[in-house]
Amino acid sequence: MKKMTKIKMAVLFLAIAVIGSAFMPAPKKITIKGSDTMVILAQKWAEVYMKTNKESVIQVTGGGSGTGISAMINGSTDICNSSRPLKQSEMDKLKDRYGSFGVEIPCAKDGITVFLHESNPVKELSIKQLAGIFSGKIVNWKAVGGPDQDIKLYGRENSSGTYVFFKDNVVKADYAANCQTLPGTAAVVNAVKNDRFGIGYGGAAYAAGVKHCLVKKDDKSTAYEPTPANVKAGTYPISRYLYMYTSNGPTGEVKKFIDWILGPEGQKLVVSVGYFPVK
């Protein structure tokens, strides 16, 4: 008799659980994919947002800006993170599929940092010198005031928005064939940290254990470090916006999340991670 009672109680509790779950709101899932530069920032946004929005489930993955843009075009992500603007060809694909060129949302600023080994005596470089180094025209540190040693180059893979931005705005040519491409800024930083004669580039938030190289527009200009004040003032010469993209105007939970990112709390997290507010 007692056994039957226990069985009935178990069935009752199971029924209550099933009925209760039927009335629970479905989780509001948001997928974000793209820029490796933005991964730690996007993860922080998601983590903090979900603490006060229990019904939201936000999934963040990297892979590079190009990967995120492709995912947005084929409809497999809600938000694309990109450290570069969309290309015209990408906007045309969005237009063909969604009737829209996509919606661009600047969400933070970044000063692309040039990383040097802490023991490297070189403290500053001009844009022209950086172009010569990363295009392979300058191959020895002695040419820019350093030791008589070969320069070792580290950069991002070609799916990276940082790769594209640095190439278009600094190198303005093809990268040198001996530039070792790595999957993410953290890997670039680690390579330079372990190579006395290495140089690399990437987002400012990743620069731990390496030296920031001061950068100047030309030989007659002052060299600046990518500090918040210099990026905001526009004096650091390799500054850029970081973007979120959606295929059409964001709605529902996606819009709510983006509005929060652009608000005081979201922008405060931008600073805490090591980037700079959008305004």
Side-chain angles (χ1 to χ4, degrees):
M1 188 70 177
K2 289 182 179 180
K3 185 176 181 181
M4 286 298 295
T5 301
K6 288 181 178 179
I7 292 173
K8 287 179 180 178
M9 289 295 290
V11 171
L12 177 61
F13 285 133
L14 179 61
I16 291 171
V18 170
I19 293 170
S21 65
F23 288 96
M24 289 177 64
K28 299 173 182 177
K29 185 176 180 181
I30 299 173
T31 55
I32 304 172
K33 190 174 185 65
S35 169
D36 286 314
T37 296
M38 296 175 66
V39 163
I40 56 173
L41 176 56
Q43 288 174 338
K44 178 59 71 174
W45 277 332
E47 175 190 337
V48 174
Y49 184 83
M50 287 189 292
K51 284 181 180 178
T52 53
N53 294 268
K54 304 293 186 182
E55 75 283 4
S56 295
V57 177
I58 303 173
Q59 180 183 359
V60 178
T61 54
S65 298
T67 300
I69 292 167
S70 295
M72 176 178 60
I73 292 169
N74 65 36
S76 60
T77 191
D78 297 310
I79 298 172
C80 159
N81 282 343
S82 180
S83 58
R84 65 164 174 85
L86 293 182
K87 299 174 182 177
Q88 186 61 51
S89 60
E90 294 162 340
M91 291 192 288
D92 290 341
K93 289 177 182 178
L94 284 168
K95 181 69 173 177
D96 289 343
R97 182 157 186 171
Y98 302 104
S100 162
F101 287 120
V103 176
E104 179 182 274
I105 305 158
C107 56
K109 284 184 178 179
D110 178 27
I112 293 184
T113 304
V114 175
F115 309 122
L116 301 176
H117 192 273
E118 290 182 334
S119 68
N120 195 324
V122 173
K123 295 181 179 180
E124 61 182 54
L125 293 167
S126 67
I127 295 291
K128 183 177 180 180
Q129 288 172 322
L130 287 170
I133 288 170
F134 280 94
S135 66
K137 293 178 181 177
I138 299 174
V139 297
N140 193 296
W141 281 112
K142 190 175 181 180
V144 291
D148 186 8
Q149 297 287 342
D150 290 341
I151 299 173
K152 304 293 183 60
L153 303 176
Y154 299 98
R156 296 295 312 282
E157 69 283 7
N158 60 13
S159 63
S160 160
T162 305
Y163 170 102
V164 174
F165 186 92
F166 198 77
K167 179 182 178 182
D168 290 347
N169 293 276
V170 177
V171 185
K172 298 179 181 178
D174 290 333
Y175 285 98
N178 66 331
C179 183
Q180 187 175 339
T181 57
L182 297 167
T185 302
V188 174
V189 168
N190 190 58
V192 174
K193 186 168 64 174
N194 291 288
D195 188 341
R196 290 176 56 206
F197 308 113
I199 184 172
Y201 61 87
Y206 289 83
V210 290
K211 183 168 72 174
H212 285 189
C213 178
L214 279 65
V215 179
K216 53 187 178 181
K217 292 180 181 179
D218 52 50
D219 292 340
K220 297 179 181 179
S221 300
T222 302
Y224 291 94
E225 189 177 355
T227 62
N230 292 338
V231 171
K232 184 177 180 179
T235 52
Y236 183 72
I238 324 177
S239 300
R240 60 176 174 174
Y241 282 101
L242 302 176
Y243 304 97
M244 294 181 292
Y245 284 99
T246 56
S247 56
N248 276 291
T251 59
E253 190 63 19
V254 172
K255 183 180 186 304
K256 182 181 173 184
F257 179 54
I258 291 174
D259 287 345
W260 176 86
I261 286 171
L262 298 177
E265 191 172 4
Q267 290 297 292
K268 186 177 179 180
L269 291 174
V270 170
V271 178
S272 72
V273 169
Y275 291 118
F276 315 110
V278 72
K279 294 179 182 178

Short mmCIF file of all heavy atoms in Angstrom, two decimals, residues 173-206:
data_model
loop_
_atom_site.label_atom_id
_atom_site.label_comp_id
_atom_site.label_asym_id
_atom_site.label_seq_id
_atom_site.Cartn_x
_atom_site.Cartn_y
_atom_site.Cartn_z
N ALA A 173 49.76 47.53 -48.74
CA ALA A 173 50.41 46.62 -49.69
C ALA A 173 50.17 45.21 -49.16
O ALA A 173 49.52 45.03 -48.12
CB ALA A 173 51.91 46.92 -49.78
N ASP A 174 50.68 44.22 -49.87
CA ASP A 174 50.57 42.85 -49.36
C ASP A 174 51.50 42.66 -48.17
O ASP A 174 52.58 43.25 -48.10
CB ASP A 174 50.95 41.84 -50.45
CG ASP A 174 49.90 41.77 -51.56
OD1 ASP A 174 48.72 42.07 -51.27
OD2 ASP A 174 50.27 41.42 -52.69
N TYR A 175 51.08 41.83 -47.24
CA TYR A 175 51.95 41.49 -46.13
C TYR A 175 53.16 40.69 -46.63
O TYR A 175 53.08 39.98 -47.63
CB TYR A 175 51.21 40.63 -45.10
CG TYR A 175 50.21 41.40 -44.26
CD1 TYR A 175 48.86 41.41 -44.58
CD2 TYR A 175 50.62 42.08 -43.11
CE1 TYR A 175 47.94 42.09 -43.79
CE2 TYR A 175 49.71 42.77 -42.32
CZ TYR A 175 48.37 42.77 -42.67
OH TYR A 175 47.46 43.45 -41.89
N ALA A 176 54.27 40.82 -45.91
CA ALA A 176 55.47 40.04 -46.25
C ALA A 176 55.16 38.55 -46.17
O ALA A 176 54.37 38.11 -45.31
CB ALA A 176 56.60 40.40 -45.29
N ALA A 177 55.80 37.78 -47.04
CA ALA A 177 55.54 36.34 -47.09
C ALA A 177 55.93 35.63 -45.80
O ALA A 177 55.37 34.59 -45.45
CB ALA A 177 56.29 35.73 -48.27
N ASN A 178 56.87 36.21 -45.04
CA ASN A 178 57.33 35.57 -43.81
C ASN A 178 56.55 36.01 -42.57
O ASN A 178 56.92 35.71 -41.45
CB ASN A 178 58.82 35.83 -43.59
CG ASN A 178 59.13 37.29 -43.34
OD1 ASN A 178 58.41 38.16 -43.83
ND2 ASN A 178 60.19 37.57 -42.59
N CYS A 179 55.45 36.76 -42.77
CA CYS A 179 54.61 37.16 -41.64
C CYS A 179 53.79 35.96 -41.19
O CYS A 179 52.98 35.44 -41.95
CB CYS A 179 53.69 38.31 -42.04
SG CYS A 179 52.68 38.92 -40.67
N GLN A 180 54.02 35.51 -39.99
CA GLN A 180 53.33 34.34 -39.46
C GLN A 180 51.92 34.72 -39.02
O GLN A 180 51.74 35.58 -38.16
CB GLN A 180 54.09 33.74 -38.29
CG GLN A 180 53.51 32.42 -37.80
CD GLN A 180 54.37 31.81 -36.70
OE1 GLN A 180 55.55 32.12 -36.58
NE2 GLN A 180 53.78 30.92 -35.92
N THR A 181 50.91 34.10 -39.63
CA THR A 181 49.53 34.43 -39.29
C THR A 181 49.04 33.50 -38.19
O THR A 181 49.28 32.29 -38.22
CB THR A 181 48.62 34.31 -40.52
OG1 THR A 181 48.72 32.99 -41.08
CG2 THR A 181 49.02 35.32 -41.57
N LEU A 182 48.34 34.10 -37.22
CA LEU A 182 47.91 33.35 -36.03
C LEU A 182 46.43 33.57 -35.78
O LEU A 182 45.86 34.62 -36.09
CB LEU A 182 48.72 33.82 -34.82
CG LEU A 182 50.24 33.56 -34.91
CD1 LEU A 182 50.98 34.31 -33.82
CD2 LEU A 182 50.53 32.06 -34.81
N PRO A 183 45.76 32.57 -35.18
CA PRO A 183 44.30 32.61 -34.99
C PRO A 183 43.89 33.37 -33.73
O PRO A 183 43.54 32.78 -32.72
CB PRO A 183 43.93 31.14 -34.89
CG PRO A 183 45.14 30.51 -34.24
CD PRO A 183 46.33 31.26 -34.77
N GLY A 184 43.96 34.68 -33.78
CA GLY A 184 43.54 35.48 -32.64
C GLY A 184 44.64 36.38 -32.10
O GLY A 184 45.83 36.04 -32.16
N THR A 185 44.24 37.53 -31.56
CA THR A 185 45.20 38.49 -31.04
C THR A 185 45.97 37.92 -29.85
O THR A 185 47.16 38.22 -29.67
CB THR A 185 44.50 39.80 -30.65
OG1 THR A 185 43.83 40.33 -31.80
CG2 THR A 185 45.49 40.83 -30.16
N ALA A 186 45.31 37.12 -29.04
CA ALA A 186 45.99 36.53 -27.88
C ALA A 186 47.19 35.69 -28.33
O ALA A 186 48.24 35.69 -27.68
CB ALA A 186 45.02 35.68 -27.07
N ALA A 187 47.05 35.00 -29.45
CA ALA A 187 48.15 34.19 -29.98
C ALA A 187 49.28 35.08 -30.49
O ALA A 187 50.46 34.74 -30.34
CB ALA A 187 47.64 33.28 -31.10
N VAL A 188 48.92 36.22 -31.09
CA VAL A 188 49.94 37.18 -31.56
C VAL A 188 50.73 37.72 -30.37
O VAL A 188 51.97 37.78 -30.39
CB VAL A 188 49.29 38.33 -32.35
CG1 VAL A 188 50.33 39.39 -32.71
CG2 VAL A 188 48.62 37.81 -33.62
N VAL A 189 50.02 38.12 -29.33
CA VAL A 189 50.67 38.64 -28.12
C VAL A 189 51.59 37.60 -27.52
O VAL A 189 52.74 37.90 -27.14
CB VAL A 189 49.61 39.09 -27.09
CG1 VAL A 189 50.25 39.36 -25.74
CG2 VAL A 189 48.89 40.33 -27.58
N ASN A 190 51.13 36.37 -27.44
CA ASN A 190 51.95 35.30 -26.85
C ASN A 190 53.22 35.06 -27.67
O ASN A 190 54.30 34.82 -27.11
CB ASN A 190 51.13 34.02 -26.76
CG ASN A 190 51.84 32.94 -25.96
OD1 ASN A 190 52.18 33.13 -24.79
ND2 ASN A 190 52.07 31.80 -26.59
N ALA A 191 53.09 35.13 -29.00
CA ALA A 191 54.26 34.93 -29.87
C ALA A 191 55.30 36.02 -29.66
O ALA A 191 56.50 35.74 -29.54
CB ALA A 191 53.82 34.88 -31.33
N VAL A 192 54.84 37.27 -29.59
CA VAL A 192 55.77 38.39 -29.39
C VAL A 192 56.39 38.33 -27.99
O VAL A 192 57.57 38.62 -27.80
CB VAL A 192 55.05 39.74 -29.61
CG1 VAL A 192 55.97 40.91 -29.26
CG2 VAL A 192 54.58 39.86 -31.06
N LYS A 193 55.61 37.94 -27.01
CA LYS A 193 56.10 37.84 -25.63
C LYS A 193 57.25 36.85 -25.53
O LYS A 193 58.14 37.00 -24.68
CB LYS A 193 54.94 37.40 -24.72
CG LYS A 193 55.29 37.38 -23.24
CD LYS A 193 54.04 37.24 -22.38
CE LYS A 193 53.35 35.93 -22.59
NZ LYS A 193 52.22 35.75 -21.65
N ASN A 194 57.25 35.86 -26.43
CA ASN A 194 58.29 34.83 -26.39
C ASN A 194 59.33 34.99 -27.49
O ASN A 194 60.12 34.06 -27.73
CB ASN A 194 57.63 33.45 -26.49
CG ASN A 194 56.83 33.10 -25.25
OD1 ASN A 194 57.40 32.82 -24.20
ND2 ASN A 194 55.52 33.13 -25.35
N ASP A 195 59.36 36.13 -28.15
CA ASP A 195 60.32 36.37 -29.23
C ASP A 195 60.92 37.77 -29.07
O ASP A 195 60.24 38.77 -29.30
CB ASP A 195 59.62 36.24 -30.59
CG ASP A 195 60.59 36.28 -31.76
OD1 ASP A 195 61.73 36.77 -31.59
OD2 ASP A 195 60.20 35.85 -32.86
N ARG A 196 62.17 37.84 -28.67
CA ARG A 196 62.82 39.13 -28.41
C ARG A 196 62.81 40.05 -29.62
O ARG A 196 62.85 41.27 -29.48
CB ARG A 196 64.26 38.90 -27.96
CG ARG A 196 64.42 38.29 -26.57
CD ARG A 196 65.89 38.01 -26.28
NE ARG A 196 66.70 39.23 -26.40
CZ ARG A 196 67.99 39.25 -26.68
NH1 ARG A 196 68.64 38.10 -26.91
NH2 ARG A 196 68.65 40.39 -26.74
N PHE A 197 62.74 39.48 -30.81
CA PHE A 197 62.83 40.29 -32.02
C PHE A 197 61.51 40.27 -32.80
O PHE A 197 61.48 40.58 -33.98
CB PHE A 197 64.00 39.80 -32.88
CG PHE A 197 65.28 39.72 -32.10
CD1 PHE A 197 65.89 38.49 -31.84
CD2 PHE A 197 65.87 40.86 -31.58
CE1 PHE A 197 67.05 38.41 -31.09
CE2 PHE A 197 67.03 40.80 -30.83
CZ PHE A 197 67.63 39.57 -30.58
N GLY A 198 60.44 39.94 -32.10
CA GLY A 198 59.14 39.89 -32.73
C GLY A 198 58.39 41.21 -32.69
O GLY A 198 58.65 42.08 -31.86
N ILE A 199 57.42 41.35 -33.61
CA ILE A 199 56.51 42.48 -33.64
C ILE A 199 55.17 41.98 -34.14
O ILE A 199 55.12 41.13 -35.04
CB ILE A 199 57.04 43.63 -34.53
CG1 ILE A 199 56.11 44.85 -34.47
CG2 ILE A 199 57.26 43.18 -35.96
CD1 ILE A 199 56.67 46.10 -35.16
N GLY A 200 54.10 42.46 -33.54
CA GLY A 200 52.77 42.05 -33.96
C GLY A 200 51.78 43.18 -33.77
O GLY A 200 52.14 44.27 -33.34
N TYR A 201 50.53 42.92 -34.10
CA TYR A 201 49.49 43.95 -33.96
C TYR A 201 48.18 43.28 -33.54
O TYR A 201 47.97 42.09 -33.75
CB TYR A 201 49.29 44.70 -35.29
CG TYR A 201 48.86 43.80 -36.42
CD1 TYR A 201 47.51 43.53 -36.64
CD2 TYR A 201 49.78 43.21 -37.28
CE1 TYR A 201 47.10 42.69 -37.66
CE2 TYR A 201 49.39 42.37 -38.30
CZ TYR A 201 48.05 42.11 -38.49
OH TYR A 201 47.65 41.27 -39.49
N GLY A 202 47.31 44.08 -32.93
CA GLY A 202 46.01 43.55 -32.52
C GLY A 202 45.28 44.50 -31.61
O GLY A 202 45.73 45.64 -31.37
N GLY A 203 44.15 44.07 -31.09
CA GLY A 203 43.33 44.90 -30.22
C GLY A 203 44.03 45.26 -28.93
O GLY A 203 44.77 44.46 -28.36
N ALA A 204 43.76 46.46 -28.44
CA ALA A 204 44.44 46.98 -27.25
C ALA A 204 44.17 46.15 -26.01
O ALA A 204 45.00 46.07 -25.11
CB ALA A 204 44.02 48.43 -27.01
N ALA A 205 43.02 45.50 -25.93
CA ALA A 205 42.63 44.79 -24.72
C ALA A 205 43.48 43.55 -24.45
O ALA A 205 43.46 43.02 -23.35
CB ALA A 205 41.16 44.38 -24.80
N TYR A 206 44.23 43.09 -25.43
CA TYR A 206 44.98 41.85 -25.28
C TYR A 206 46.44 42.04 -24.88
O TYR A 206 47.18 41.08 -24.71
CB TYR A 206 44.95 41.06 -26.60
CG TYR A 206 43.60 40.47 -26.93
CD1 TYR A 206 42.62 41.23 -27.54
CD2 TYR A 206 43.32 39.14 -26.62
CE1 TYR A 206 41.37 40.69 -27.85
CE2 TYR A 206 42.09 38.60 -26.94
CZ TYR A 206 41.12 39.37 -27.55
OH TYR A 206 39.90 38.82 -27.84
#
